[in-house]
């Protein structure tokens, strides 16, 4: 049996068999030594070994007749060892046949989902699709993953090997699949596998419709390149979509934080003050999403403080987003992340919330508690964002909220969140209906939009939850004042989204150069443009 199959056999079963084998061998050695002694055999090693062989293989009865009643352990050991070896052989053969039968039976499937990669996100996906009753195949590379056995017990076909191997892809009946999700942690491999999928199903007679190929890509630059490449590369058999678990999870997490904070009157009046502590791979992403979503205070911009050891990061950030001051007050403070609580640079400062997301759970939880308990920094609420499932069970401060990225990464239309996608499409159609006939004739329909424009509509829809929370809290207050505040906040949110998409403000709009005349203070907008924001707010509130 191949080692990849052996590694999947239950570790508990192997451990029990090993213990039994060692036990029976020990029992046999004890019995044989007693037998030799009682029978008067020569104690030398060679003669003892010969006596043991003769005892098992010959018809001589001297040892057995003389000592059997006292040393039954010899027979128990002999038959026990045989039983363990026979059971091991049949167990391995049965397991191997089971794997072969699983692959054979999967040949009947059609419209199933194939998942490539074994990690926290893909295991969540397996549970998600199993709950929906989908047939599943998982291609994994980690031969030592202990979860494979449990996945197979749930009816998932698990295949181990290199996903770039065409023979392996054929085992999961690729041509008959409805969806292929390529989600390893290696972006280059994901791209290679996606294009290998296309070549495998090309001109295949068994294919009954387009296969949706979802490819995990976290780099924005790579996304832009791939979107252009795959428009050309896309065949009649496959349609490619780029997914980003991290991006989806962060926008959902920040959306919840915004909803949590907008309930406080002081924050709706002056804008929240944030301290964001994260490693470099997430710090910028958290900051951008927070600036887009935490627009709840009209033109009173939120304040963000980010400790960082790179002295040049602030100048780079401001040169990349020159109009950022219109939507946020961003301050990078040169300071080591594990020295924040005792740093003189933060002494006496107050923050409405701290967001912490470090490399591992211990670092994240430890730093969050250190900041909440600091005598030199005043922090009202703490949000500890964990990258993987929580392993430390503990009671925590009521000011602390623990959020797992893996719980939010599947909230995407590609994984079944069709309600938000429908709302986002309706939002775009409502925008089209407000255009003049001349502008509408050249505008793109939803299916023609690029990822960035679709994502902008999704963010607008997701921000409705924040608006609804503010409506719920301020329900007894003046409705027109509330709508005016929210319309201004909506314009701030829209500006933030545009600024992070590379747009700048200017007197005349120029789409090619990404210059927009509405990237300006809300008070400088025309009544017509303000009307768009008011309409967006009324629609969000169901008025």
């Amino acid at each position: 049996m191949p080692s990849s199959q052996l590694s999947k056999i239950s570790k508990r079963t192997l451990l029990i068999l090993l213990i039994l084998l060692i036990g029976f061998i020990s029992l046999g050695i004890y019995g044989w030594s007693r037998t030799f002694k009682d029978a008067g055999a020569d104690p030398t090693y060679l003669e003892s070994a010969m006596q043991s062989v003769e005892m098992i293989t010959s018809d001589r009865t001297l040892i057995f007749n003389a000592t059997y009643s006292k040393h039954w352990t010899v027979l128990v050991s002999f038959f026990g060892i045989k039983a363990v070896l026979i059971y091991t052989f049949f167990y391995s053969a049965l397991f191997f046949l089971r794997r072969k039968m699983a692959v054979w039976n999967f040949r009947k499937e059609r419209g199933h989902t194939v998942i490539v990669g074994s990690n926290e996100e893909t295991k969540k996906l397996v549970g998600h699709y199993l709950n929906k009753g989908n047939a599943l195949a998982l291609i994994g590379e980690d031969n030592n993953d202990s979860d494979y056995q449990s996945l197979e017990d749930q009816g998932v076909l698990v295949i181990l090997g290199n996903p770039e191997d065409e023979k392996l892809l054929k085992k999961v009946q690729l041509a008959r699949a409805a969806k292929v999700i390529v989600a390893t942690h290696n972006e280059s491999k994901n791209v290679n596998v996606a294009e290998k999928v296309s070549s495998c199903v090309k001109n295949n007679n068994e294919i009954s419709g387009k296969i949706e190929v979802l490819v995990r890509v976290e780099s924005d630059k790579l996304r832009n390149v791939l979107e252009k490449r795959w428009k050309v590369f896309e065949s009649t058999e496959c349609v490619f979509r780029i997914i980003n678990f991290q991006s989806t999870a962060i926008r959902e997490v920040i959306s919840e934080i915004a909803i949590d904070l907008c309930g406080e009157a002081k924050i709706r009046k002056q804008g929240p003050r944030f301290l964001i502590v994260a490693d470099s791979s997430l710090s910028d992403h958290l900051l951008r999403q927070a600036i887009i979503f935490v627009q709840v205070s009209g033109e009173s911009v939120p304040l963000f403080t980010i400790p960082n050891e790179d002295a040049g990061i602030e100048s780079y950030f401001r040169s990349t987003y020159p109009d950022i001051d219109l939507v946020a007050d961003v301050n990078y403070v040169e300071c080591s992340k594990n020295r924040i609580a005792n740093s003189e640079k933060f002494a006496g400062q107050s923050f409405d919330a701290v967001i912490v997301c470090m490399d591992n759970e211990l670092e994240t939880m430890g730093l969050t508690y250190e900041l909440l308990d600091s005598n030199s920094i005043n922090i009202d609420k703490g949000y500890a964002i964990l990258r993987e499932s929580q392993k430390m069970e503990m009671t925590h401060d009521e000011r602390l909220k623990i959020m797992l990225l893996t719980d939010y990464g599947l909230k995407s239309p590609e994984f079944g969140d069709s309600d938000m996608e429908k709302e986002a499409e309706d939002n775009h159609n409502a925008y089209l209906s407000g255009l003049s006939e001349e502008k509408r004739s050249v505008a793109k329909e939803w299916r023609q939009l690029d990822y960035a424009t679709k994502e902008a509509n999704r963010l607008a829809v997701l921000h409705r939850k924040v608006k609804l929370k503010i409506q719920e809290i301020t329900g007894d207050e003046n409705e027109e004042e509330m709508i005016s505040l929210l319309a201004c906040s909506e314009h701030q949110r829209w500006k933030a989204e545009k600024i992070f998409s590379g747009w700048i403000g200017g007197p005349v709009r120029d789409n090619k150069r990404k210059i927009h005349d509405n990237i300006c203070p809300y008070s400088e907008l025309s009544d017509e443009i303000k009307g768009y924001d008011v309409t967006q707010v009324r629609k969000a509130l169901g008025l």
Side-chain angles (χ1 to χ4, degrees), residues 291-333:
I291 291 175
I292 290 172
F293 274 103
V294 192
Q295 298 294 340
V296 296
S297 315
E299 287 191 293
S300 296
V301 299
L303 179 143
F304 297 91
T305 301
I306 302 98
N308 199 286
E309 296 178 23
D310 184 355
I313 188 68
E314 182 166 7
S315 59
Y316 173 78
F317 181 80
R318 293 191 176 280
S319 63
T320 306
Y321 310 114
D323 288 329
I324 193 65
D325 290 336
L326 290 172
V327 292
D329 182 0
V330 180
N331 299 298
Y332 284 91
V333 178

Side-chain angles (χ1 to χ4, degrees), residues 22 55 62-63 101 146 172 223 228 252 388 468 473:
I22 293 173
M55 177 188 69
L62 170 64
I63 296 177
M101 288 300 295
S146 59
V172 296
R223 171 191 289 278
K228 293 174 183 177
E252 291 286 341
E388 297 180 348
L468 286 168
I473 294 166

Side-chain angles (χ1 to χ4, degrees), residues 20 58 365 444:
L20 284 173
S58 71
M365 296 297 293
K444 293 181 179 179

Side-chain angles (χ1 to χ4, degrees), residues 6-232:
L6 281 171
S7 66
K8 289 165 52 57
I9 294 176
S10 169
K11 290 183 179 179
R12 182 179 178 183
T13 303
L14 286 176
L15 182 62
I16 291 172
L17 289 173
L18 182 62
I19 291 172
L20 284 173
L21 184 63
I22 293 173
F24 283 129
I25 290 174
S26 301
L27 195 65
I29 291 172
Y30 168 75
W32 288 335
S33 64
R34 293 288 304 184
T35 299
F36 299 151
K37 181 179 179 181
D38 294 347
D42 194 300
T44 64
Y45 172 79
L46 182 60
E47 290 185 2
S48 296
M50 291 300 296
Q51 288 279 353
S52 65
V53 171
E54 288 179 352
M55 177 188 69
I56 296 172
T57 61
S58 71
D59 294 330
R60 292 177 60 188
T61 58
L62 170 64
I63 296 177
F64 283 131
N65 289 342
T67 63
Y68 173 67
S69 58
K70 294 180 181 179
H71 304 296
W72 53 269
T73 52
V74 176
L75 281 180
V76 172
S77 172
F78 174 62
F79 289 112
I81 291 171
K82 277 185 120 178
V84 169
L85 293 176
I86 290 170
Y87 179 83
T88 303
F89 173 78
F90 280 107
Y91 179 80
S92 302
L94 183 64
F95 185 87
F96 182 73
L97 288 174
R98 176 189 173 191
R99 295 283 304 121
K100 288 292 185 184
M101 288 300 295
V103 174
W104 179 262
N105 290 333
F106 209 77
R107 291 165 65 94
K108 304 172 186 176
E109 293 295 342
R110 185 177 291 275
H112 56 284
T113 299
V114 178
I115 299 174
V116 180
S118 179
N119 48 57
E120 289 270 346
E121 293 87 357
T122 55
K123 287 170 187 175
K124 291 274 186 182
L125 274 176
V126 168
H128 172 77
Y129 283 111
L130 284 176
N131 290 335
K132 294 173 68 175
N134 289 35
L136 281 176
L138 176 72
I139 299 176
E141 294 182 275
D142 183 4
N143 294 338
N144 299 314
D145 195 323
S146 59
D147 291 332
Y148 289 148
Q149 186 72 50
S150 118
L151 293 178
E152 287 188 326
D153 292 341
Q154 296 176 71
V156 179
L157 173 65
V158 178
I159 301 290
L160 296 182
N162 182 2
E164 297 179 63
D165 183 353
E166 286 193 25
K167 290 181 181 178
L168 186 143
L169 290 173
K170 288 177 181 178
K171 286 185 179 181
V172 296
Q173 302 305 309
L174 199 62
R176 296 184 180 185
K179 184 176 290 190
V180 179
I181 303 172
V182 189
T184 74
H185 284 302
N186 186 321
E187 289 186 339
S188 298
K189 176 170 285 187
N190 291 343
V191 174
N192 291 338
V193 172
E195 297 190 354
K196 183 71 72 175
V197 167
S198 180
S199 64
C200 282
V201 301
K202 194 172 184 180
N203 301 321
N204 194 305
N205 295 328
E206 292 185 331
I207 192 168
S208 56
K210 275 202 171 187
I211 298 174
E212 189 178 20
V213 184
L214 308 181
V215 190
R216 178 181 192 160
V217 176
E218 295 181 356
S219 165
D220 289 337
K221 291 180 180 179
L222 184 56
R223 171 191 289 278
N224 294 333
V225 171
L226 290 174
E227 281 186 335
K228 293 174 183 177
R229 171 177 170 77
W230 283 342
K231 279 182 181 178
V232 178

